[in-house]
Amino acid sequence: MTDRKKPTIPQLLKKASEGQPITWLTCYDYPTAYLQEQAGIDMILVGDSLGMTMLGYDSTLPVTMEDMIRHSQAVRRGAPNVFVVGDMPYMSYQPSVETAIRNAGRFMAEASCDAIKLEGGAEMADRIQGIARAGIPAIGHLGLTPQSVSALGGYRLQGKSASKAKKILDDAKALEQAGAFMILLEMVPDRLCQLITQRAEHCIIMSLGSGPHAHGQLLIYHDMFGLYPRFKPRMAKQFADAGKVILNGLTEYVKEVSEKTFPQPENWFGMPDDEYDELMKLL
Ligand code: KIV
């Protein structure tokens, strides 16, 4: 824990309006949350991407509310002074406005989150409105929305044609009017992201693979550090190869145990001679 103060929504809005980029990363566990707070990250997303990065599923669809609450609680314990967003998993908000409000409330009450995020455009505006009216800060997510990956035809750029780009622009307006204080644009062209950012009136626009013109950037933690073995998306810069460092450590451990060079005396605990002699007498 640091002595920094958790950013508030007015402070995030001010940062955006002053052109200071907002930093946002995914995070799913206590030790990583601790490090992210130390590094000075503004916001954490406990993403349902944990289904892939932490649980090894092929998609985010099997992730449950219970998974999300458990990981959000761990993140909050590790990063008490970071703005934490709980990501609403598949079917936790799609069925109805009431389902959406109840599950959004669980993130706030059970995991002390500061906001929730959900995927979808104008068709989800009533969910965003219901959640925001219940006093829960709500974030929209447009462009590549992984819970709809099958309908979108795969993990690919969205809004490339003029008509599809117009639909995303209209969706962003609908979410803003419904009360979203922030919208994440994932994998849309940079100029579309720029247009949406310019047109946002009281809404922060964040980019994941959508270029530099948004009010801030989001990355998936596992992609940044070479920790996801299945693929590396183009939009993710690898800032360090932690996967390689860990693999080297693991290989060395296997070697040292096999060669009996680990453990060494500094890695174990002795017993006083008199206690050992007494033990022998007891046997
Ligand atoms: O779950 C997640 O991490 C997300 C990002 C892909 C934006 O929703």
Side-chain angles (χ1 to χ4, degrees), residues 97-172:
V97 175
E98 186 183 332
T99 314
I101 297 172
R102 284 196 190 286
N103 283 318
R106 288 194 61 192
F107 277 102
M108 309 301 280
E110 296 174 38
S112 304
C113 284
D114 299 299
I116 60 83
K117 172 177 89 56
L118 58 81
E119 298 179 10
E123 71 287 357
M124 287 297 148
D126 59 351
R127 276 41 164 203
I128 291 278
Q129 186 176 62
I131 291 168
R133 283 191 176 162
I136 301 171
I139 301 177
H141 179 171
L142 297 171
L144 175 60
T145 44
Q147 291 174 17
S148 311
V149 67
S150 179
L152 296 176
Y155 294 96
R156 56 168 66 145
L157 183 68
Q158 301 295 313
K160 214 166 142 186
S161 68
S163 62
K164 296 230 165 86
K166 173 73 167 56
K167 162 92 173 70
I168 295 174
L169 261 159
D170 292 345
D171 280 341

Side-chain angles (χ1 to χ4, degrees), residues 12-278:
L12 291 170
L13 284 161
K14 182 163 179 280
K15 216 174 164 179
S17 71
E18 289 171 353
Q20 294 177 51
I22 295 167
T23 54
W24 195 11
L25 284 179
T26 64
C27 182
Y28 321 99
D29 61 71
Y30 170 85
T32 311
Y34 178 86
L35 292 175
Q36 291 196 9
E37 177 167 326
Q38 299 284 317
I41 292 293
D42 292 314
M43 296 175 59
I44 282 175
L45 172 66
V46 186
D48 65 349
S49 51
L50 69 82
M52 298 168 80
T53 55
M54 301 294 285
L55 303 177
Y57 296 130
D58 288 337
S59 76
T60 58
L61 303 193
V63 176
T64 65
M65 272 302 293
E66 268 49 52
D67 294 329
M68 293 306 303
I69 295 289
R70 173 63 63 92
H71 285 269
S72 302
Q73 288 168 336
V75 166
R76 175 46 87 208
R77 286 191 287 269
N81 299 319
V82 180
F83 191 98
V84 172
V85 180
D87 198 16
M88 300 197 65
Y90 188 54
M91 287 301 141
S92 70
Y93 57 96
Q94 288 93 340
S96 67
V97 175
E98 186 183 332
T99 314
I101 297 172
R102 284 196 190 286
N103 283 318
R106 288 194 61 192
F107 277 102
M108 309 301 280
E110 296 174 38
S112 304
C113 284
D114 299 299
I116 60 83
K117 172 177 89 56
L118 58 81
E119 298 179 10
E123 71 287 357
M124 287 297 148
D126 59 351
R127 276 41 164 203
I128 291 278
Q129 186 176 62
I131 291 168
R133 283 191 176 162
I136 301 171
I139 301 177
H141 179 171
L142 297 171
L144 175 60
T145 44
Q147 291 174 17
S148 311
V149 67
S150 179
L152 296 176
Y155 294 96
R156 56 168 66 145
L157 183 68
Q158 301 295 313
K160 214 166 142 186
S161 68
S163 62
K164 296 230 165 86
K166 173 73 167 56
K167 162 92 173 70
I168 295 174
L169 261 159
D170 292 345
D171 280 341
K173 221 4 117 194
L175 294 181
E176 180 172 3
Q177 281 165 356
F181 80 95
M182 180 176 278
I183 296 172
L184 170 67
L185 297 177
E186 178 172 352
M187 267 179 95
V188 305
D190 59 344
R191 285 195 285 183
L192 174 57
C193 179
Q194 184 172 30
L195 274 175
I196 293 174
T197 306
Q198 284 165 349
R199 284 164 189 226
E201 285 164 273
H202 31 256
C203 190
I204 301 168
I205 306 299
M206 299 293 289
S207 158
L208 170 56
S210 301
H213 306 295
H215 296 118
Q217 298 291 325
L218 170 68
L219 270 187
I220 307 274
Y221 175 81
H222 283 60
D223 296 336
M224 284 177 74
F225 291 108
L227 292 171
Y228 188 63
R230 290 202 193 149
F231 59 84
K232 182 195 161 301
R234 173 180 149 186
M235 61 195 176
K237 173 173 171 184
Q238 192 170 311
F239 283 78
D241 197 347
K244 195 164 157 199
V245 172
I246 293 169
L247 182 59
N248 286 345
L250 292 169
T251 312
E252 187 59 23
Y253 172 73
V254 169
K255 179 169 172 281
E256 290 192 18
V257 172
S258 309
E259 292 174 352
K260 301 188 182 167
T261 54
F262 176 85
Q264 291 293 318
E266 65 269 24
N267 308 120
W268 69 65
F269 304 89
M271 189 177 193
D273 288 347
D274 55 340
E275 293 297 339
Y276 185 74
D277 293 343
E278 189 62 30

